[in-house]
Amino acid sequence: MGEKTQAARKLYTAHPRLWRDFRYVYPVVSRRSRGLSIGINLNPDKVCSFDCVYCQVDRTTMPGPMPVDFERLSCELRTLLTQRDAIFADEPWKDVPPALRRLRDIAFSGDGEPTASPAFPAAAGLAAELREELALHDAKIVVLTNGLNLRRPSVIQTLAFLDGHNGEVWIKLDAGTQAYFEQVNRVHVKLDQIVDSIRVTARVRPVVLQSMFMCLHGQPPPGTEIDAYLGRLRSIVDGGGAVKLVQAYTVARQTAEPYVSALSRDQLESIAARIRALGIAAEAFV
Ligand code: SF4
């Protein structure tokens, strides 16, 4: 691996949630955003409704206090959005090429499920307000979600509000069968219910699906699982849901369980090709 490639990989794989002394807002140079993403972490307590085997949240450090201190969040978001050029004075940001310094999005991501936070609606309002005030018209407001709360009235309303502010919803879908869903995402809800919620959400606006493919104990997902996964995608689209893009990716950092490892580029590309064969745009991120 060349020095430049190594530096880029270091940037893409380093996703610390802490920047200077900030608690809620952090910068990321994101492959998927193709530039600077300003993340909002509404879950400093690191609690999530899923328990994914590949989770890359660092739970070796102390959780932060809850509830969210809205005034502090507001101050951090304004500071990072207005002074974002200062980010590139620090290591490892100094080496970020100019093309990747452009602000692409404000993203509700972080150490848990953002839509589960009582602060989510107000924080979405804050992000929209600052995006307008600072004339960040090219920036999206992205909500990364595991999909569990998509039918909650407050979440439906907040996503509808964000639709008017260049919002985009990125929803996790890692499995095709109930058994694999429970094995990988370790949550006892019906996958049917999650897929229904995705379909309903995608009827309102095009959504991005984020699908993690990995080896478990050295084994890639069985062919029958990939077939079932593709069947789920087809059912979303056939049911009137618009899927803008599937981001097929694999593990790049330390995972919750040691038996999880990355797929090869070829393996991931071949899954992405099968998604495209359904007429759905897909990108592989290795
Ligand atoms: S949904 Fe995200 S934060 Fe929650 S356990 Fe899975 S990977 Fe981790």
Side-chain angles (χ1 to χ4, degrees):
M1 200 184 282
E3 243 171 66
K4 270 195 177 158
T5 315
Q6 269 181 342
R9 187 151 183 87
K10 193 169 126 198
L11 269 168
Y12 288 140
T13 55
H15 283 197
R17 303 279 185 238
L18 293 180
W19 188 74
R20 297 190 176 168
D21 57 350
F22 282 25
R23 185 182 296 164
Y24 303 109
V25 183
Y26 58 95
V28 175
V29 172
S30 160
R31 271 183 302 177
R32 281 163 270 171
S33 295
R34 293 200 169 75
L36 178 65
S37 174
I38 299 294
I40 300 177
N41 180 13
L42 298 179
N43 311 88
D45 58 352
K46 306 187 185 188
V47 171
C48 187
S49 45
F50 278 24
D51 181 22
C52 305
V53 291
Y54 61 80
C55 186
Q56 293 164 141
V57 170
D58 180 4
R59 292 194 168 85
T60 60
T61 56
M62 283 292 285
M66 292 293 273
V68 169
D69 175 345
F70 197 78
E71 210 172 304
R72 180 168 175 162
L73 164 65
S74 174
C75 177
E76 288 183 3
L77 187 56
R78 177 180 288 279
T79 304
L80 208 40
L81 287 174
T82 52
Q83 299 174 24
R84 58 188 185 280
D85 288 344
I87 296 166
F88 302 105
D90 291 355
E91 285 284 358
W93 307 93
K94 285 198 300 205
D95 298 328
V96 174
L100 291 177
R101 294 186 178 203
R102 192 163 147 215
L103 177 66
R104 294 291 182 172
D105 60 54
I106 301 166
F108 286 92
S109 178
D111 291 340
E113 171 53 37
T115 65
S117 168
F120 175 56
L126 170 70
E129 191 183 305
L130 286 175
R131 179 181 168 275
E132 294 298 321
E133 182 190 323
L134 303 173
L136 304 171
H137 303 306
D138 293 339
K140 293 177 189 169
I141 302 179
V142 176
V143 178
L144 283 83
T145 175
N146 61 27
L148 196 60
N149 301 326
L150 287 171
R151 306 295 277 272
R152 272 193 197 172
S154 66
V155 174
I156 291 172
Q157 281 164 19
T158 304
L159 297 184
F161 166 77
L162 289 176
D163 287 342
H165 297 275
N166 210 14
E168 202 164 82
V169 195
W170 295 10
I171 313 170
K172 183 183 293 302
L173 179 66
D174 300 329
T177 64
Q178 182 67 28
Y180 195 75
F181 174 59
E182 289 184 18
Q183 188 183 3
V184 166
N185 300 118
R186 296 193 294 198
V187 59
H188 296 291
V189 295
K190 292 281 178 215
L191 179 58
D192 287 350
Q193 181 193 321
I194 299 282
V195 173
D196 279 348
S197 297
I198 294 174
R199 191 181 300 108
V200 168
T201 306
R203 281 184 193 140
V204 181
R205 86 281 291 157
V207 301
V208 173
L209 298 181
Q210 294 195 294
S211 297
M212 169 70 91
F213 298 99
M214 75 216 92
C215 291
L216 300 176
H217 304 284
Q219 296 302 313
T224 49
E225 181 54 39
I226 300 298
D227 292 345
Y229 165 82
L230 295 169
R232 296 285 185 177
L233 291 185
R234 207 177 305 115
S235 83
I236 291 167
V237 173
D238 289 350
V243 177
K244 187 174 181 180
L245 176 70
V246 177
Q247 297 176 345
Y249 64 119
T250 191
V251 294
R253 286 172 274 147
Q254 179 78 40
T255 55
E257 299 296 347
Y259 56 79
V260 178
S261 57
L263 284 192
S264 69
R265 179 178 295 278
D266 285 353
Q267 287 170 316
L268 202 61
E269 288 290 357
S270 104
I271 295 171
R274 292 192 63 193
I275 297 169
R276 285 183 211 112
L278 298 176
I280 300 171
E283 266 188 81
F285 295 89
V286 183

